[in-house]
Coordinates of all heavy atoms in Angstrom, one line a residue:
F1 N 1.3 -9.9 0.6 CA 0.9 -8.7 -0.3 C 2.1 -7.8 -0.4 O 2.6 -7.3 0.5 CB -0.3 -8.1 0.4 CG -0.8 -6.9 -0.5 CD1 -1.4 -7.1 -1.6 CD2 -0.6 -5.7 0.1 CE1 -1.8 -6.1 -2.4 CE2 -1.1 -4.6 -0.8 CZ -1.8 -4.6 -2.0
T2 N 2.3 -7.5 -1.7 CA 3.3 -6.4 -2.0 C 2.6 -5.1 -2.2 O 1.9 -4.9 -3.2 CB 4.1 -6.9 -3.3 OG1 4.6 -8.1 -3.2 CG2 5.2 -5.9 -3.6
S3 N 2.9 -4.3 -1.3 CA 2.2 -2.9 -1.3 C 3.2 -2.0 -1.9 O 3.9 -2.2 -2.9 CB 1.8 -2.6 0.0 OG 1.0 -1.4 0.2
A4 N 3.3 -0.7 -1.3 CA 4.2 0.3 -1.7 C 4.8 1.0 -0.5 O 4.2 1.0 0.5 CB 3.7 1.2 -2.6
A5 N 6.0 1.5 -0.5 CA 6.6 2.1 0.5 C 5.7 3.2 0.9 O 5.2 4.0 0.2 CB 8.0 2.8 0.1
E6 N 5.4 3.2 2.3 CA 4.8 4.3 2.9 C 3.3 4.5 2.4 O 2.7 5.6 2.4 CB 5.4 5.6 3.0 CG 6.8 5.7 3.6 CD 7.5 6.9 3.7 OE1 6.8 7.9 3.6 OE2 8.8 6.9 3.9
A7 N 2.7 3.3 2.0 CA 1.4 3.3 1.5 C 0.4 4.0 2.5 O -0.6 4.6 2.1 CB 0.8 1.9 1.1
D8 N 0.6 3.7 3.7 CA -0.2 4.2 4.8 C -0.4 5.7 4.9 O -1.1 6.3 5.5 CB 0.0 3.5 6.1 CG 1.4 3.9 6.6 OD1 2.4 4.0 5.8 OD2 1.6 3.8 7.8
R9 N 0.7 6.4 4.4 CA 0.7 8.0 4.5 C 0.1 8.6 3.2 O 0.2 9.8 3.1 CB 2.0 8.4 4.9 CG 3.0 8.2 3.8 CD 4.3 8.9 4.2 NE 4.3 10.3 3.8 CZ 5.3 10.9 3.0 NH1 6.2 10.1 2.7 NH2 5.0 12.1 2.6
H10 N -0.2 7.9 2.2 CA -0.6 8.5 0.9 C -2.0 8.7 0.6 O -2.3 9.3 -0.4 CB 0.0 7.6 -0.2 CG 1.5 7.6 -0.3 ND1 2.2 8.8 -0.5 CD2 2.3 6.6 -0.2 CE1 3.5 8.5 -0.4 NE2 3.6 7.1 -0.3
P11 N -3.0 8.2 1.4 CA -4.4 8.3 1.0 C -4.9 9.6 0.7 O -5.8 9.7 -0.2 CB -5.2 7.8 2.2 CG -4.3 7.0 3.0 CD -2.9 7.6 2.8
E12 N -4.4 10.8 1.3 CA -4.7 12.1 1.0 C -3.9 12.9 0.0 O -4.2 14.0 -0.2 CB -5.0 12.8 2.3 CG -5.9 12.3 3.3 CD -7.2 11.9 2.8 OE1 -7.8 12.8 2.1 OE2 -7.8 10.8 3.1
E13 N -2.8 12.4 -0.3 CA -1.9 13.1 -1.1 C -2.1 12.9 -2.7 O -2.7 11.9 -3.1 CB -0.5 12.6 -0.8 CG 0.2 12.9 0.6 CD 1.4 12.4 0.8 OE1 2.3 12.5 -0.1 OE2 1.6 11.7 1.9
K14 N -1.6 13.8 -3.4 CA -1.8 13.6 -4.9 C -0.5 12.9 -5.3 O 0.6 13.4 -5.3 CB -1.6 14.9 -5.6 CG -3.1 15.6 -5.7 CD -3.0 16.7 -6.8 CE -4.4 16.9 -7.3 NZ -4.4 17.9 -8.4
V15 N -0.5 11.5 -5.6 CA 0.5 10.7 -5.8 C -0.1 9.8 -6.9 O -1.3 9.6 -7.2 CB 1.1 9.9 -4.6 CG1 1.7 10.7 -3.6 CG2 0.0 9.0 -4.0
P16 N 0.8 9.0 -7.7 CA 0.4 8.1 -8.6 C -0.7 7.1 -8.2 O -0.6 6.6 -6.9 CB 1.6 7.4 -9.1 CG 2.7 8.3 -8.8 CD 2.3 9.0 -7.5
V17 N -1.6 6.6 -8.9 CA -2.6 5.8 -8.6 C -2.0 4.5 -8.1 O -2.6 3.8 -7.1 CB -3.6 5.5 -9.8 CG1 -4.5 4.2 -9.6 CG2 -4.4 6.8 -10.2
N18 N -0.9 4.0 -8.5 CA -0.4 2.7 -8.0 C 0.0 2.8 -6.4 O 0.0 1.8 -5.8 CB 0.7 2.2 -8.7 CG 1.9 3.1 -8.7 OD1 1.8 4.3 -8.8 ND2 3.1 2.6 -8.4
L19 N 0.2 4.0 -5.9 CA 0.4 4.2 -4.6 C -0.9 4.4 -3.7 O -1.0 3.7 -2.8 CB 1.3 5.5 -4.3 CG 2.7 5.4 -4.8 CD1 3.4 6.6 -4.4 CD2 3.5 4.1 -4.3
V20 N -1.7 5.1 -4.3 CA -3.1 5.4 -3.5 C -3.8 4.0 -3.4 O -4.4 3.8 -2.3 CB -3.9 6.5 -4.3 CG1 -5.2 6.6 -3.6 CG2 -3.1 7.7 -4.3
S21 N -3.8 3.2 -4.4 CA -4.6 2.0 -4.4 C -4.0 1.0 -3.4 O -4.8 0.0 -3.1 CB -4.5 1.4 -5.8 OG -3.3 0.9 -6.2
K22 N -2.9 1.1 -2.9 CA -2.4 0.0 -2.1 C -2.9 0.0 -0.7 O -3.1 -1.0 -0.1 CB -0.7 0.1 -2.0 CG -0.1 0.1 -3.4 CD -0.2 -1.3 -3.9 CE 0.7 -1.4 -5.2 NZ 0.9 -2.8 -5.6
W23 N -3.1 1.2 -0.3 CA -3.6 1.3 1.3 C -5.0 0.7 1.5 O -5.2 -0.1 2.4 CB -3.5 2.7 1.8 CG -4.0 3.0 3.2 CD1 -5.1 3.7 3.5 CD2 -3.5 2.4 4.3 NE1 -5.3 3.6 5.0 CE2 -4.3 2.8 5.4 CE3 -2.5 1.6 4.5 CZ2 -4.0 2.4 6.7 CZ3 -2.1 1.1 5.8 CH2 -3.0 1.5 7.0
P24 N -5.9 0.8 0.6 CA -7.2 0.1 0.8 C -7.1 -1.4 0.9 O -7.7 -2.0 1.6 CB -8.1 0.7 -0.3 CG -7.5 2.0 -0.7 CD -6.0 1.9 -0.5
F25 N -6.1 -1.8 0.0 CA -5.9 -3.3 0.1 C -5.3 -3.8 1.4 O -5.8 -4.7 1.9 CB -5.1 -3.8 -1.1 CG -5.7 -3.8 -2.5 CD1 -5.5 -2.8 -3.4 CD2 -6.5 -4.9 -2.8 CE1 -6.3 -2.8 -4.5 CE2 -7.1 -5.0 -3.9 CZ -7.0 -3.9 -4.9
E26 N -4.4 -3.0 1.9 CA -3.8 -3.4 3.2 C -4.9 -3.4 4.3 O -5.0 -4.2 5.1 CB -2.7 -2.3 3.6 CG -1.4 -2.6 2.8 CD -0.3 -1.8 3.4 OE1 -0.2 -1.6 4.5 OE2 0.5 -1.3 2.6
W27 N -5.8 -2.4 4.2 CA -6.8 -2.2 5.2 C -7.8 -3.3 5.1 O -8.2 -3.9 6.1 CB -7.5 -0.9 5.0 CG -8.5 -0.5 6.2 CD1 -8.4 0.0 7.2 CD2 -10.0 -0.8 6.0 NE1 -9.6 0.1 7.8 CE2 -10.5 -0.5 7.2 CE3 -10.7 -1.6 5.0 CZ2 -11.8 -0.6 7.5 CZ3 -12.1 -1.7 5.4 CH2 -12.6 -1.4 6.6
H28 N -8.1 -3.6 3.9 CA -9.0 -4.9 3.7 C -8.6 -6.2 4.2 O -9.2 -6.9 4.8 CB -9.5 -5.0 2.2 CG -10.6 -5.9 1.9 ND1 -11.8 -5.5 2.3 CD2 -10.6 -7.0 1.3 CE1 -12.6 -6.7 1.9 NE2 -11.9 -7.5 1.4
I29 N -7.3 -6.4 3.9 CA -6.6 -7.6 4.4 C -6.7 -7.7 5.9 O -7.0 -8.7 6.5 CB -5.1 -7.7 4.1 CG1 -5.1 -7.8 2.3 CG2 -4.3 -8.8 4.6 CD1 -3.7 -7.6 1.8
A30 N -6.4 -6.7 6.5 CA -6.4 -6.5 8.0 C -7.9 -6.7 8.5 O -8.1 -7.5 9.4 CB -6.0 -5.1 8.5
A31 N -8.9 -6.1 7.8 CA -10.3 -6.2 8.2 C -10.8 -7.7 8.1 O -11.6 -8.1 8.9 CB -11.2 -5.3 7.5
L32 N -10.3 -8.3 7.1 CA -10.6 -9.8 6.9 C -9.9 -10.7 8.0 O -10.4 -11.8 8.1 CB -10.2 -10.3 5.5 CG -11.0 -9.7 4.4 CD1 -10.4 -10.1 3.0 CD2 -12.5 -10.1 4.5
G33 N -8.9 -10.3 8.7 CA -8.3 -11.0 9.6 C -7.4 -12.0 9.0 O -7.0 -13.0 9.7
L34 N -7.0 -11.9 7.8 CA -6.1 -12.9 7.1 C -4.7 -12.9 7.8 O -4.1 -11.8 8.1 CB -5.8 -12.5 5.7 CG -7.0 -12.6 4.7 CD1 -6.6 -12.0 3.4 CD2 -7.5 -14.0 4.6
P35 N -4.2 -14.0 8.0 CA -2.9 -13.9 8.3 C -1.9 -13.7 7.2 O -1.8 -14.3 6.2 CB -2.5 -15.7 8.8 CG -3.6 -16.3 8.1 CD -4.7 -15.3 7.8
A36 N -1.2 -12.5 7.4 CA -0.6 -11.9 6.3 C 0.6 -11.2 6.6 O 0.9 -10.8 7.8 CB -1.5 -10.8 5.6
V37 N 1.4 -11.0 5.6 CA 2.8 -10.4 5.6 C 2.5 -9.2 4.5 O 2.2 -9.5 3.5 CB 4.0 -11.1 5.1 CG1 5.2 -10.3 5.1 CG2 4.1 -12.3 6.1
I38 N 2.9 -8.0 4.9 CA 2.8 -6.8 4.1 C 4.2 -6.4 3.7 O 5.0 -5.9 4.6 CB 2.0 -5.7 4.7 CG1 0.7 -6.1 5.2 CG2 1.9 -4.5 3.7 CD1 -0.4 -6.5 4.0
L39 N 4.5 -6.4 2.5 CA 5.8 -6.0 1.9 C 5.6 -4.5 1.2 O 4.8 -4.5 0.4 CB 6.6 -6.9 1.0 CG 6.8 -8.4 1.5 CD1 7.4 -9.2 0.4 CD2 7.8 -8.1 2.7
R40 N 6.3 -3.5 1.8 CA 6.2 -2.2 1.2 C 7.5 -1.7 0.5 O 8.2 -0.8 1.0 CB 5.8 -1.2 2.2 CG 4.4 -1.5 2.8 CD 4.2 -0.6 3.9 NE 2.8 -0.7 4.4 CZ 2.5 -0.2 5.7 NH1 3.3 0.5 6.4 NH2 1.3 -0.3 6.0
P41 N 7.8 -2.3 -0.6 CA 9.2 -1.9 -1.2 C 9.1 -0.5 -1.7 O 8.1 -0.1 -2.1 CB 9.4 -3.0 -2.4 CG 7.9 -3.5 -2.7 CD 7.2 -3.4 -1.6
V42 N 10.3 0.1 -2.0 CA 10.4 1.4 -2.6 C 10.3 1.2 -4.2 O 10.1 0.1 -4.7 CB 11.8 2.1 -2.2 CG1 11.8 2.3 -0.7 CG2 12.9 1.2 -2.5
S43 N 10.5 2.3 -4.8 CA 10.6 2.2 -6.3 C 11.6 1.2 -6.8 O 12.6 1.1 -6.3 CB 10.8 3.7 -6.9 OG 9.9 4.5 -6.5
F44 N 11.4 0.7 -7.9 CA 12.2 -0.2 -8.6 C 13.2 0.2 -9.5 O 12.8 1.2 -10.3 CB 11.4 -1.4 -9.4 CG 10.3 -2.0 -8.6 CD1 9.0 -2.2 -9.1 CD2 10.6 -2.5 -7.3 CE1 8.0 -2.7 -8.4 CE2 9.5 -3.1 -6.5 CZ 8.3 -3.3 -7.0
M45 N 14.4 -0.2 -9.5 CA 15.5 0.2 -10.4 C 15.1 0.0 -11.8 O 15.4 0.8 -12.6 CB 16.8 -0.6 -10.1 CG 17.4 -0.1 -8.7 SD 19.0 -1.1 -8.6 CE 19.5 -0.2 -7.0
E46 N 14.3 -1.2 -12.0 CA 14.0 -1.6 -13.4 C 13.0 -0.6 -14.0 O 12.9 -0.5 -15.3 CB 13.3 -2.9 -13.4 CG 14.2 -4.1 -13.0 CD 14.7 -4.3 -11.7 OE1 14.2 -3.5 -10.8 OE2 15.4 -5.1 -11.4

């Protein structure tokens, strides 16, 4: 799963939706017990 840098610290902050939305997905993946890798890249040069 490609998340976003420091997604776990953004749930209460005013940040773009694309950051806030990542943490619940990470949490759900963990709750399901999926064997997973979480990638949290920073902003893209593109």
Side-chain angles (χ1 to χ4, degrees):
F1 178 67
T2 304
S3 185
E6 300 184 20
D8 57 333
R9 68 171 269 237
H10 294 300
E12 305 300 321
E13 296 178 41
K14 275 194 156 185
V15 294
V17 167
N18 65 314
L19 293 181
V20 174
S21 67
K22 301 291 187 172
W23 179 240
F25 282 101
E26 286 190 36
W27 185 88
H28 189 68
I29 291 164
L32 291 174
L34 289 176
V37 179
I38 306 295
L39 299 177
R40 294 178 175 160
V42 296
S43 295
F44 304 134
M45 289 179 177
E46 288 79 0

